[in-house]
Amino acid sequence: MTFLEHLTPSDETGMIRESAEKWTGGISDSDVRASKGFSSTRWADMAEMGWHGLLADPDHGGLGLGPAALSLLCQAIGRARLPEPFVASSVVCVGTLTSIGQDVTALVDGSTIAAPAGFGLPCDGVSSTITASAGAGGHHLTGTLGICEAGPDTTEFLVATKRAEALYRLPRTTEGLTVRPYGAIDGRPLARLAFDCVVPAEALITSGNAARAAIRRGNALAVSALTADATGTIEKAIDLTTAYIDERNQFGQPLAAFQALRHMVADRLVELEAARSMTDLAAFAAEDAGDAGDPKQLHDRVRARICRAAQTVGQTAIQLHGGMGMTDEMAIGHYFRRLIFLQAMMGQEAGALRDRAATLAADIEMQREVVQ
Amino acid sequence: MRDQGARDFQDERDHIDFLLDDELRAFRRDVRAFLRDAVPQETRDRIDRGYAATKPEIVDFLAKLSAKGWVAPAWPAEYGGPGWTQLQRMVYSTELARNAAPSIPPFGVSMIGPVLYTFGTQAQKDKYLPGILSGEDFWCQGFSEPGSGSDLASLRTKAEDKGDHYLLNGQKIWTSKAQYADRIFLLARTDEAPRKQGGISMFVLDMDTPGIVVKPIISIDMNHSLNEVFFEDVKIPADGLVGERGKGWDYAKFLLGNERTGITNVGRCRRQVERLKRLARADLIPGVDLSKDGAFLRDLARVEADLTALEISEIRILSQGKNGPSAMTGPSVLKLASAQIQQTLAELIVSTLGHYAAGRGAEFIDAFDDLGGLPPDFVDGALNEYLFGRAVSIYGGTNQIQRDILARAALETRP
């Protein structure tokens, strides 16, 4: 598939977008507030629509679609600020497991929920410090992970060991695995994981180059999904803001009559366009992972640009809501916090620029050697 | 060090390549292969360093393009265009800039040409289009006036209907390259109308018509590309009227809307990123290794990410065509983003020069010979681009006008 084809949604992809927009359109802000981080009804609805299996093969009950469709879906999820661990379970875990031929049937039908540990979320590389050693009784996993998108309903973990050497698939009930829950800035559940467990050899689902490839796949899908989610969130934050300043009157006229405010909105539309472009680029890079060379070359730029768009749009949205923007009652603050969560999951602009700067420094050095 | 400044990108397989299909990749290779021979090394070198192409350089290059039928990429085939798609045109204009070719002057090809083949008479098409396509006729644009910049519709230059001719009186300003121009297209008021946009007509005429005086404006880069043009009792033959009398404003909007391809200058920006990497290892600032300067690298990484987003935005917006969702906002978004990137790159380049940013011209380069510290000659020229580059956010609708357009698209309220 070429990038230009990628920009033109297929019929199936178009249908996903339509059904996503229709379904999320029926979810109100108070519905989302009431669900406090997870709604099993919504999770079941998503299963019904086939979304958990978007990336899975048809023989595992999946739709067998790719990142283009996924990207549109995640934009709709961002717009509705749904807290469910769709990216964690249905994108990163299902996508990674599918790439190595693992059974994902239960994840696809929504009866189980998985969380990636040590890769994917955050998506800026492999953050794992978990070590594994094979012994007589099985494999001994040790170490801790500070952040994992796991909630009370998470049933299994996909664990990357350090340097992406291996990938283990563990049930939550694994003895010696401690899950310490805490809440994310945007209200979804997260957890700190501590491993000191001996697991059967079958828990090791892949290792070596195959594990690295599978984890790269998971990260590429995560970059694409998080970027898309951020774009949907940015769109909605801009929509809420323009609606607010069109309606709110001060000095006898709508706030939107003031040029200083109008120009702030205009600049954020430029950010939105950049966000959309990076979303398409990230989806395409995930589509074409085999041929794109080192996707990190693109991912660092994608993460840097989308994070800045998220930050500036979020801040402007709050500013233009004035005092009301500071209240938890208004939806805008919730979108702002979702943007913060997404930036954190992408390593923030600062982290992405640091990574890209290191590559540029190496480039400059290399050219110096060529010249001398 | 001259060869460094002129390094080109002929064989590079970059991230843009990976976004194109095989057909566009092959097209891109053809364009590169052509440019390799068509642009003399000396021209390439000057342009790379930030100088404007000279008229002879432009004439020479346009003649080569003309032989290929590549002068007017956006024109329909029936008027002599190559029949390319939007994306081919984008690849083409990007490659021109990336290979430091002289840019095709927009006034004939992108501005008046499409107006004439869309609204002009057969006689006007026959008279004017061939000279544009051959690159022989240079045009200039008479729109802005001293009292009418962003508020162009308030223009006061007057053309009185005298039967077989119009009598033109008034003044235009910021007329780029008028000193080289053979012809001018302009807006003038022919009638009083209730709306200030009404009563404006568009004309074409020859610059050697009696009564036209061109005076140079030296710009902040100390170069001469801008002019004032004065009209005193200039007789425009009646057949110089374009389309219908009083519809000049519509044609002007059409003309500006046609500038879509090449609006972003991404090719030049990509080349500037490469120049920055070269400058970073030129060690121009004593005791500083920019490849280890975190602040510099971070600035470079940030503008490079911006540029990547702009490159994708251009592909996305152009591939949507004229009825796509970004048709209204696209051009303004691209212009704002691009102005920001171009100006940031020029500023970053100046920042790598250290003390050398103070000097200018060939003597400055030579003078250092005596002092024993000869700077690379590509240091000269960077300031030209930085200084004149301040105009990027002013011409073609200032950043503030672009923001007004975007705000109108996003907000219900009309101030």
Side-chain angles (χ1 to χ4, degrees):
Chain A
M1 177 183 280
T2 69
F3 185 60
L4 300 173
E5 285 161 1
H6 171 86
L7 289 177
T8 318
S10 67
D11 290 349
E12 278 168 312
T13 301
M15 279 164 60
I16 292 285
R17 169 162 55 190
E18 261 173 53
S19 67
E21 283 170 1
K22 189 159 174 250
W23 181 69
T24 53
I27 301 169
S28 72
D29 194 64
S30 53
D31 292 339
V32 175
R33 280 173 199 247
S35 55
K36 297 197 185 304
F38 184 79
S39 152
S40 50
T41 317
R42 280 201 296 268
W43 197 254
D45 284 351
M46 291 184 193
E48 185 94 350
M49 293 182 286
W51 293 359
H52 301 311
L54 192 94
L55 298 170
D57 297 328
D59 47 345
H60 290 144
L63 301 177
L65 294 175
L70 178 74
S71 184
L72 292 170
L73 185 49
C74 289
Q75 288 177 58
I77 287 174
R79 283 188 69 93
R81 68 176 189 89
L82 300 184
E84 285 75 31
F86 181 80
V87 176
S89 184
S90 315
V91 176
V92 179
C93 289
V94 169
T96 307
L97 290 167
T98 296
S99 76
I100 50 175
Q102 282 272 312
D103 183 20
V104 290
T105 315
L107 291 170
V108 168
D109 71 24
S111 53
T112 63
I113 297 176
F119 75 107
L121 290 162
C123 68
D124 54 338
V126 176
S127 50
S128 180
T129 51
I130 305 298
T131 58
S133 53
H139 294 220
H140 189 200
L141 299 187
T142 53
T144 59
L145 282 175
I147 187 161
C148 173
E149 195 177 332
D153 300 276
T154 302
T155 52
E156 62 173 330
F157 294 94
L158 202 53
V159 185
T161 57
K162 68 175 180 186
R163 292 188 295 276
E165 281 156 356
L167 205 52
Y168 287 83
R169 187 175 186 180
L170 309 178
R172 184 192 186 111
T173 51
T174 301
E175 201 174 319
L177 166 61
T178 314
V179 180
R180 261 196 65 186
Y182 61 96
I185 186 81
D186 70 339
R188 71 183 80 202
L190 298 176
R192 174 175 184 271
L193 307 182
F195 297 86
D196 184 8
C197 39
V198 176
V199 300
E202 308 87 80
L204 173 67
I205 53 175
T206 182
S207 61
N209 284 339
R212 277 186 282 277
I215 288 166
R216 260 203 311 279
R217 175 87 189 130
N219 279 336
L221 289 168
V223 172
S224 172
L226 292 169
T227 304
D229 191 321
T231 293
T233 311
I234 285 168
E235 266 174 11
K236 181 73 178 192
I238 290 175
D239 287 352
L240 289 171
T241 304
T242 52
Y244 184 80
I245 68 169
D246 264 331
E247 194 190 298
R248 164 98 174 149
N249 280 284
Q250 287 287 276
F251 305 104
Q253 51 187 334
L255 289 179
F258 294 96
Q259 194 183 39
L261 276 56
R262 297 176 74 84
H263 284 192
M264 286 172 83
V265 169
D267 282 336
R268 301 317 160 234
L269 295 179
V270 177
E271 294 298 297
L272 171 61
E273 207 61 50
R276 286 180 176 148
S277 290
M278 286 317 205
T279 300
D280 282 336
L281 181 59
F284 183 66
E287 198 105 51
D288 202 27
D291 184 42
D294 181 5
K296 183 170 166 52
Q297 297 296 323
L298 292 178
H299 284 160
D300 291 344
R301 289 182 240 178
V302 167
R303 292 190 295 117
R305 190 65 189 85
I306 192 83
C307 285
R308 180 144 48 88
Q311 187 77 302
T312 55
V313 169
Q315 290 174 355
T316 304
I318 298 299
Q319 178 69 23
L320 293 187
H321 275 77
M324 290 307 288
M326 296 302 296
T327 64
D328 186 66
E329 185 195 329
M330 296 294 280
I332 194 62
H334 295 252
Y335 283 93
F336 188 37
R337 293 205 299 271
R338 187 181 185 91
L339 289 172
I340 292 169
F341 175 78
L342 293 168
Q343 288 174 72
M345 287 300 105
M346 291 189 274
Q348 307 199 50
E349 188 198 5
L353 289 179
R354 203 155 43 232
D355 290 350
R356 183 63 192 157
T359 306
L360 289 172
D363 249 24
I364 292 166
E365 274 310 310
M366 208 171 70
Q367 287 180 16
R368 194 196 299 275
E369 281 156 26
V370 170
V371 169
Q372 281 166 358
Chain B
M1 297 275 274
R2 183 162 292 232
D3 57 336
Q4 268 190 44
R7 185 179 146 251
D8 57 35
F9 302 88
Q10 295 285 348
D11 303 312
E12 202 172 311
R13 187 165 187 272
D14 55 17
H15 65 287
I16 293 297
D17 210 56
F18 133 75
L19 300 174
L20 306 175
D21 58 19
D22 285 344
E23 222 169 295
L24 281 167
R25 277 188 201 125
F27 174 74
R28 195 176 190 220
R29 279 195 300 274
D30 287 349
V31 174
R32 287 179 177 188
F34 165 77
L35 291 174
R36 189 178 301 152
D37 302 325
V39 186
Q41 188 58 40
E42 200 190 322
T43 303
R44 195 185 290 263
D45 178 50
R46 280 173 37 76
I47 291 174
D48 189 55
R49 290 157 54 195
Y51 290 110
T54 61
K55 184 169 183 182
E57 282 172 329
I58 296 170
V59 169
D60 172 69
F61 182 59
L62 288 180
K64 289 170 181 161
L65 289 183
S66 182
K68 288 283 273 187
W70 285 4
V71 169
W75 290 19
E78 59 169 316
Y79 295 114
W84 289 340
T85 62
Q86 285 267 20
L87 284 157
Q88 278 179 301
R89 278 137 61 182
M90 189 206 76
V91 166
Y92 176 68
S93 69
T94 304
E95 287 304 318
L96 290 185
R98 258 200 108 165
N99 288 279
S103 47
I104 302 173
F107 308 108
V109 170
S110 309
M111 294 184 169
I112 193 62
V115 171
L116 290 176
Y117 66 64
T118 308
F119 304 106
T121 61
Q122 191 57 47
Q124 285 171 335
K125 291 179 203 174
D126 294 343
K127 181 173 177 191
Y128 296 117
L129 298 186
I132 296 175
L133 281 174
S134 69
E136 285 162 307
D137 277 359
F138 275 57
W139 285 77
C140 62
Q141 175 190 25
F143 277 19
S144 293
E145 295 181 8
S148 307
S150 291
D151 180 15
L152 182 61
S154 68
L155 62 87
R156 294 197 327 222
T157 293
K158 211 173 193 176
E160 278 175 87
D161 190 350
K162 298 286 185 187
D164 67 336
H165 69 272
Y166 286 86
L167 194 64
L168 183 68
N169 279 287
Q171 184 197 343
K172 296 292 174 180
I173 197 168
W174 315 128
T175 320
S176 294
K177 312 289 181 191
Q179 75 271 33
Y180 295 148
D182 306 297
R183 307 182 198 278
I184 185 169
F185 59 92
L186 58 89
L187 296 176
R189 202 164 285 286
T190 43
D191 303 278
E192 289 311 316
R195 261 179 93 243
K196 62 183 176 180
Q197 287 85 354
I200 292 174
S201 300
M202 188 180 282
F203 294 94
V204 287
L205 84 153
D206 292 347
M207 284 295 281
D208 57 8
T209 311
I212 300 181
V213 175
V214 177
K215 287 189 183 163
I217 297 172
I218 303 302
S219 42
I220 55 173
D221 58 343
M222 294 167 283
N223 287 316
H224 173 204
S225 66
L226 304 171
N227 301 277
E228 293 177 285
V229 182
F230 296 86
F231 307 99
E232 195 182 339
D233 290 336
V234 176
K235 287 182 180 171
I236 311 177
D239 62 6
L241 174 71
V242 177
E244 286 178 48
R245 179 163 145 179
K247 289 210 167 165
W249 189 255
D250 295 341
Y251 306 144
K253 281 204 299 195
F254 170 87
L255 179 154
L256 296 170
N258 263 316
E259 281 186 85
R260 291 170 66 98
T261 302
I263 193 176
T264 55
N265 249 330
V266 290
R268 179 67 188 170
C269 292
R270 188 48 65 188
R271 199 168 176 98
Q272 295 282 68
V273 168
E274 296 304 323
R275 288 183 76 217
L276 268 164
K277 292 189 199 168
R278 292 198 299 275
L279 283 161
R281 55 177 167 64
D283 296 330
L284 296 173
I285 305 174
V288 173
D289 178 353
L290 285 174
S291 73
K292 296 188 172 55
D293 174 357
F296 168 77
L297 292 169
R298 190 181 152 118
D299 287 347
L300 178 57
R302 182 185 280 125
V303 71
E304 191 208 24
D306 285 350
L307 176 57
T308 304
L310 178 65
E311 287 165 334
I312 306 296
S313 294
E314 189 176 26
I315 294 175
R316 279 180 50 244
I317 290 171
L318 288 180
S319 69
Q320 285 173 7
K322 285 192 172 168
N323 300 315
S326 304
M328 292 302 291
T329 54
S332 296
V333 167
L334 293 178
K335 180 151 195 293
L336 281 168
S338 161
Q340 163 77 31
I341 292 166
Q342 291 182 61
Q343 292 180 339
T344 303
L345 283 166
E347 183 185 335
L348 261 180
I349 284 179
V350 170
S351 81
T352 66
L353 304 182
H355 303 147
Y356 294 120
R360 182 171 192 269
E363 296 91 346
F364 145 63
I365 300 294
D366 295 342
F368 275 85
D369 208 6
D370 306 333
L371 302 174
L374 190 68
D377 66 354
F378 59 75
V379 164
D380 185 38
L383 264 295
N384 282 1
E385 199 161 8
Y386 170 71
L387 288 164
F388 201 75
R390 301 317 299 171
V392 175
S393 51
I394 298 170
Y395 61 57
T398 63
N399 276 9
Q400 288 64 40
I401 290 287
Q402 306 301 337
R403 291 187 178 108
D404 280 345
I405 293 170
L406 289 180
R408 260 200 304 282
L411 293 161
E412 301 282 336
T413 306
R414 295 284 166 268

